[in-house]
Amino acid sequence: MPIEIRQFPCLSDNYGYLIRDHESGLVATIDTPDPGAINNELESAGWKLTHILNTHHHFDHAGGNLALKEKWGCQIIGPKNEQEKIPGIDRVVGDGDVVELGQSIAKVFDTPGHTLGHIIYHFEDDAAAFVGDTIFAMGCGRLFEGTPDQMWSSLQKISSMPHETKLYCAHEYTKANAAFALSVDPSNAALQARAKEVDSMRAQNLPTVPTTVEKELATNPFLRAEDKSLQTNINMDGASAVDVFAKTRALKDSF
C-alpha cells in the first residue's frame, strides 16, 4: 500500500507534511515548520510521530525539531552536510542513502543551491518527492548559499524523475511564480493555461501543491533554460543552460 500523506498549511505560506507507512504505522514529518500545527494534525489523524525528515537547516524547516523530539522522542534524520545546523539530529544522510519508514523507502538526493547541504526525499514506489525549497511550482529556491551550477544540477535530478512524480514543495508561492514565469516565457501555451488554473485555485483558497515533474517541465522557467524562446526573451540566445538559468534566477530575484 502507498504511504498516506497529510498536507496542511502552516506559518504564513509553508506546507507541513505528515507521511505514514500503512504496514508499520510509523509516521514522519517532513521538516518542522510549526510544531503546534504538526501536533494538531497528528491529533486529528490519531497518529504518533516517530521520525523527522529534515531537508535543510533554515528555521522554518528545522526550528521545531527539539519541541517535537521532546514530546514524541522521535528520530531526527537530516543532511550530513548541515548536521551542525540541524537541532537534535540523530542520523545524517546524503546522496544515494536510503531512509526506511517501515516498508516505505525513500532515496536521498543531495540538492545544493538554496543551501549547501539541502537534500530531498524521493519515495519512488509512491511517485512522491519531498523537495523542500529546491523547486516550487513554476519556481525554485533562492540561491542563499549555493551557485547557479549547483542549483541547475540539483534541478536536473528532479526533472529526470518519472513524469508522474508528485513534487511536494514547502511553500505556496505558485501565483507569484506564475507571474514571473509569464514575464520570461510569455508565448508558452501550457504556462498560460497553468497560470489561469492557479488563479482560480487560489481564489478558492485551494493549494496548488503538489505539482508534478511533467507540469514543471512544461511550465517552470528554471527547468527550461534550453528552450530557445525563453533564451531569446531574456537576451541569452545560444548561452549555456547554466548561464541561462543564472540569468533567469537573477531576473526573478529582482522581479
Side-chain angles (χ1 to χ4, degrees):
M1 296 179 68
I3 54 174
E4 183 176 351
I5 302 170
R6 291 180 71 105
Q7 174 177 337
F8 50 98
C10 49
L11 302 180
S12 61
D13 54 31
N14 283 71
Y15 284 118
Y17 299 106
L18 293 176
I19 58 177
R20 179 180 181 273
D21 174 66
H22 284 279
E23 185 145 339
S24 66
L26 296 178
V27 176
T29 176
I30 305 296
D31 290 323
T32 59
D34 183 339
I38 292 168
N39 283 327
N40 288 341
E41 196 70 18
L42 287 163
E43 182 178 359
S44 176
W47 295 353
K48 295 181 179 180
L49 188 67
T50 59
H51 294 76
I52 293 171
L53 306 183
N54 285 132
T55 61
H56 64 294
H57 68 83
H58 285 161
F59 186 78
D60 63 324
H61 293 262
N65 280 16
L66 295 182
L68 290 168
K69 188 173 186 178
E70 181 178 1
K71 178 176 177 62
W72 297 102
C74 48
Q75 182 186 38
I76 299 177
I77 299 172
K80 66 180 179 182
N81 292 328
E82 294 183 4
Q83 57 185 294
E84 297 86 0
K85 299 179 179 181
I86 302 294
I89 194 165
D90 298 301
R91 177 188 169 196
V92 299
V93 292
D95 210 52
D97 287 336
V98 167
V99 173
E100 297 177 354
L101 187 70
Q103 300 300 307
S104 302
I105 308 297
K107 184 177 179 181
V108 176
F109 290 88
D110 285 344
T111 56
H114 181 65
T115 66
L116 288 177
H118 199 297
I119 61 174
I120 65 174
Y121 300 88
H122 181 206
F123 289 82
E124 187 172 8
D125 289 347
D126 301 279
F130 296 90
V131 295
D133 286 356
T134 297
I135 191 170
F136 303 117
M138 292 180 279
C140 76
R142 188 182 289 263
L143 305 187
F144 285 119
E145 298 177 11
T147 65
D149 187 73
Q150 286 176 317
M151 184 60 117
W152 175 250
S153 178
S154 296
L155 291 172
Q156 295 313 290
K157 293 180 181 181
I158 295 171
S159 65
S160 66
M161 292 176 180
H163 283 194
E164 68 273 14
T165 305
K166 291 184 178 181
L167 303 177
Y168 291 86
C169 320
H171 293 272
E172 181 57 69
Y173 290 162
T174 313
K175 187 170 181 177
N177 286 344
F180 170 74
L182 285 167
S183 77
V184 295
D185 200 10
S187 61
N188 183 335
L191 173 58
Q192 294 168 7
R194 177 70 170 140
K196 290 179 181 178
E197 179 185 38
V198 166
D199 283 343
S200 175
M201 294 174 74
R202 293 310 296 156
Q204 301 171 69
N205 201 33
L206 296 173
T208 63
V209 174
T211 180
T212 65
V213 170
E214 182 176 31
K215 287 180 181 179
E216 295 315 300
L217 287 170
T219 63
N220 190 325
F222 298 106
L223 299 185
R224 291 170 50 77
E226 295 173 316
D227 181 80
K228 295 187 182 304
S229 177
L230 186 147
Q231 289 180 3
T232 297
N233 290 334
I234 64 171
N235 299 313
M236 292 290 285
D237 285 303
S240 71
V242 170
D243 287 344
V244 175
F245 168 78
K247 174 71 176 292
T248 307
R249 184 63 254 183
L251 290 169
K252 176 66 166 67
D253 290 345
S254 61
F255 184 71

